[in-house]
Short mmCIF file of all heavy atoms in Angstrom, two decimals:
data_model
loop_
_atom_site.label_atom_id
_atom_site.label_comp_id
_atom_site.label_asym_id
_atom_site.label_seq_id
_atom_site.Cartn_x
_atom_site.Cartn_y
_atom_site.Cartn_z
N SER B 73 -22.09 -14.91 -2.22
CA SER B 73 -20.80 -14.53 -1.65
C SER B 73 -19.80 -15.68 -1.77
O SER B 73 -18.62 -15.46 -2.07
CB SER B 73 -20.94 -14.17 -0.17
OG SER B 73 -21.92 -13.18 -0.02
N GLY B 74 -20.28 -16.90 -1.54
CA GLY B 74 -19.41 -18.08 -1.64
C GLY B 74 -18.88 -18.26 -3.05
O GLY B 74 -17.68 -18.48 -3.27
N LEU B 75 -19.77 -18.13 -4.03
CA LEU B 75 -19.37 -18.28 -5.44
C LEU B 75 -18.38 -17.19 -5.83
O LEU B 75 -17.41 -17.43 -6.54
CB LEU B 75 -20.60 -18.21 -6.35
CG LEU B 75 -21.38 -19.51 -6.50
CD1 LEU B 75 -22.58 -19.29 -7.42
CD2 LEU B 75 -20.51 -20.63 -7.04
N CYS B 76 -18.67 -16.00 -5.35
CA CYS B 76 -17.80 -14.86 -5.66
C CYS B 76 -16.37 -15.14 -5.19
O CYS B 76 -15.40 -14.88 -5.90
CB CYS B 76 -18.38 -13.63 -4.99
SG CYS B 76 -17.64 -12.13 -5.56
N LEU B 77 -16.26 -15.71 -3.98
CA LEU B 77 -14.92 -16.03 -3.45
C LEU B 77 -14.29 -17.18 -4.23
O LEU B 77 -13.09 -17.21 -4.45
CB LEU B 77 -15.01 -16.39 -1.97
CG LEU B 77 -15.25 -15.23 -1.02
CD1 LEU B 77 -15.37 -15.72 0.41
CD2 LEU B 77 -14.11 -14.22 -1.09
N ARG B 78 -15.12 -18.14 -4.65
CA ARG B 78 -14.58 -19.26 -5.43
C ARG B 78 -14.06 -18.81 -6.78
O ARG B 78 -13.09 -19.35 -7.31
CB ARG B 78 -15.66 -20.32 -5.66
CG ARG B 78 -15.79 -21.28 -4.52
CD ARG B 78 -16.83 -22.32 -4.84
NE ARG B 78 -17.15 -23.11 -3.66
CZ ARG B 78 -16.50 -24.20 -3.29
NH1 ARG B 78 -15.51 -24.64 -4.02
NH2 ARG B 78 -16.86 -24.85 -2.20
N LEU B 79 -14.74 -17.82 -7.37
CA LEU B 79 -14.35 -17.37 -8.71
C LEU B 79 -13.14 -16.45 -8.67
O LEU B 79 -12.54 -16.17 -9.69
CB LEU B 79 -15.53 -16.64 -9.37
CG LEU B 79 -16.72 -17.56 -9.68
CD1 LEU B 79 -17.90 -16.75 -10.20
CD2 LEU B 79 -16.33 -18.62 -10.71
N ARG B 80 -12.80 -16.00 -7.49
CA ARG B 80 -11.64 -15.11 -7.37
C ARG B 80 -10.37 -15.95 -7.56
O ARG B 80 -10.24 -17.00 -6.94
CB ARG B 80 -11.66 -14.51 -5.97
CG ARG B 80 -10.71 -13.36 -5.80
CD ARG B 80 -10.68 -12.95 -4.36
NE ARG B 80 -11.88 -12.28 -3.92
CZ ARG B 80 -12.13 -11.96 -2.65
NH1 ARG B 80 -11.27 -12.26 -1.71
NH2 ARG B 80 -13.24 -11.33 -2.33
N PRO B 81 -9.45 -15.50 -8.40
CA PRO B 81 -8.23 -16.28 -8.59
C PRO B 81 -7.48 -16.45 -7.28
O PRO B 81 -7.40 -15.49 -6.50
CB PRO B 81 -7.40 -15.42 -9.57
CG PRO B 81 -8.32 -14.42 -10.11
CD PRO B 81 -9.47 -14.27 -9.17
N PRO B 82 -6.92 -17.66 -7.00
CA PRO B 82 -6.28 -17.92 -5.72
C PRO B 82 -5.14 -16.96 -5.41
O PRO B 82 -4.95 -16.58 -4.27
CB PRO B 82 -5.72 -19.34 -5.85
CG PRO B 82 -6.16 -19.84 -7.17
CD PRO B 82 -6.89 -18.79 -7.91
N ALA B 83 -4.42 -16.52 -6.44
CA ALA B 83 -3.28 -15.61 -6.22
C ALA B 83 -3.75 -14.30 -5.61
O ALA B 83 -3.02 -13.66 -4.87
CB ALA B 83 -2.57 -15.35 -7.53
N ALA B 84 -5.02 -13.94 -5.92
CA ALA B 84 -5.54 -12.65 -5.46
C ALA B 84 -5.60 -12.59 -3.94
O ALA B 84 -5.56 -11.52 -3.36
CB ALA B 84 -6.93 -12.42 -6.02
N ARG B 85 -5.70 -13.75 -3.31
CA ARG B 85 -5.90 -13.74 -1.86
C ARG B 85 -4.66 -13.29 -1.09
O ARG B 85 -4.73 -12.95 0.06
CB ARG B 85 -6.34 -15.12 -1.40
CG ARG B 85 -7.66 -15.50 -2.02
CD ARG B 85 -8.15 -16.80 -1.45
NE ARG B 85 -8.31 -16.72 -0.01
CZ ARG B 85 -9.35 -16.16 0.58
NH1 ARG B 85 -10.31 -15.64 -0.13
NH2 ARG B 85 -9.43 -16.14 1.88
N THR B 86 -3.51 -13.30 -1.75
CA THR B 86 -2.31 -12.88 -1.04
C THR B 86 -1.68 -11.64 -1.65
O THR B 86 -0.79 -11.04 -1.09
CB THR B 86 -1.26 -14.00 -1.04
OG1 THR B 86 -1.09 -14.44 -2.39
CG2 THR B 86 -1.68 -15.16 -0.17
N ARG B 87 -2.18 -11.26 -2.83
CA ARG B 87 -1.55 -10.17 -3.56
C ARG B 87 -2.01 -8.81 -3.02
O ARG B 87 -3.15 -8.64 -2.63
CB ARG B 87 -1.95 -10.29 -5.04
CG ARG B 87 -1.23 -9.36 -5.96
CD ARG B 87 -1.42 -9.87 -7.38
NE ARG B 87 -2.81 -10.27 -7.62
CZ ARG B 87 -3.62 -9.63 -8.44
NH1 ARG B 87 -3.23 -8.58 -9.09
NH2 ARG B 87 -4.85 -10.08 -8.64
N VAL B 88 -1.11 -7.86 -3.04
CA VAL B 88 -1.50 -6.49 -2.67
C VAL B 88 -2.19 -5.89 -3.88
O VAL B 88 -1.77 -6.07 -5.01
CB VAL B 88 -0.26 -5.66 -2.29
CG1 VAL B 88 -0.64 -4.21 -2.06
CG2 VAL B 88 0.39 -6.24 -1.05
N ARG B 89 -3.28 -5.18 -3.60
CA ARG B 89 -4.12 -4.66 -4.67
C ARG B 89 -3.35 -3.70 -5.59
O ARG B 89 -2.67 -2.81 -5.15
CB ARG B 89 -5.29 -3.92 -4.03
CG ARG B 89 -6.18 -3.32 -5.04
CD ARG B 89 -7.49 -2.87 -4.45
NE ARG B 89 -8.38 -2.75 -5.56
CZ ARG B 89 -9.17 -3.71 -5.96
NH1 ARG B 89 -9.20 -4.82 -5.31
NH2 ARG B 89 -9.93 -3.53 -7.00
N ARG B 90 -3.50 -3.90 -6.90
CA ARG B 90 -2.90 -2.97 -7.86
C ARG B 90 -3.99 -2.21 -8.62
O ARG B 90 -3.81 -1.11 -9.05
CB ARG B 90 -2.01 -3.72 -8.85
CG ARG B 90 -0.88 -4.43 -8.14
CD ARG B 90 0.46 -3.87 -8.52
NE ARG B 90 1.50 -4.65 -7.91
CZ ARG B 90 2.02 -4.36 -6.73
NH1 ARG B 90 1.60 -3.31 -6.08
NH2 ARG B 90 2.95 -5.11 -6.22
N ASP B 91 -5.13 -2.89 -8.86
CA ASP B 91 -6.32 -2.16 -9.31
C ASP B 91 -6.29 -1.59 -10.73
O ASP B 91 -7.06 -0.70 -11.05
CB ASP B 91 -6.60 -1.01 -8.34
CG ASP B 91 -8.07 -0.97 -8.01
OD1 ASP B 91 -8.83 -1.71 -8.63
OD2 ASP B 91 -8.44 -0.20 -7.15
N HIS B 92 -5.38 -2.03 -11.58
CA HIS B 92 -5.34 -1.46 -12.92
C HIS B 92 -6.41 -2.05 -13.83
O HIS B 92 -7.01 -1.37 -14.64
CB HIS B 92 -3.96 -1.64 -13.54
CG HIS B 92 -2.93 -0.87 -12.81
ND1 HIS B 92 -3.06 0.47 -12.55
CD2 HIS B 92 -1.78 -1.26 -12.21
CE1 HIS B 92 -2.01 0.89 -11.86
NE2 HIS B 92 -1.22 -0.15 -11.64
N GLN B 93 -6.65 -3.35 -13.68
CA GLN B 93 -7.68 -3.97 -14.51
C GLN B 93 -8.72 -4.58 -13.58
O GLN B 93 -8.57 -5.69 -13.11
CB GLN B 93 -7.06 -5.07 -15.37
CG GLN B 93 -6.09 -4.49 -16.37
CD GLN B 93 -5.32 -5.58 -17.06
OE1 GLN B 93 -5.01 -6.61 -16.47
NE2 GLN B 93 -5.02 -5.37 -18.32
N ALA B 94 -9.73 -3.83 -13.30
CA ALA B 94 -10.71 -4.29 -12.34
C ALA B 94 -11.80 -5.11 -13.00
O ALA B 94 -12.47 -4.62 -13.91
CB ALA B 94 -11.32 -3.08 -11.64
#
Side-chain angles (χ1 to χ4, degrees):
Chain B
S73 306
L75 278 179
C76 192
L77 286 178
R78 275 182 191 272
L79 293 174
R80 192 187 288 173
R85 298 186 59 79
T86 51
R87 188 164 44 113
V88 174
R89 178 167 199 93
R90 300 245 185 268
D91 225 352
H92 295 307
Q93 294 170 326

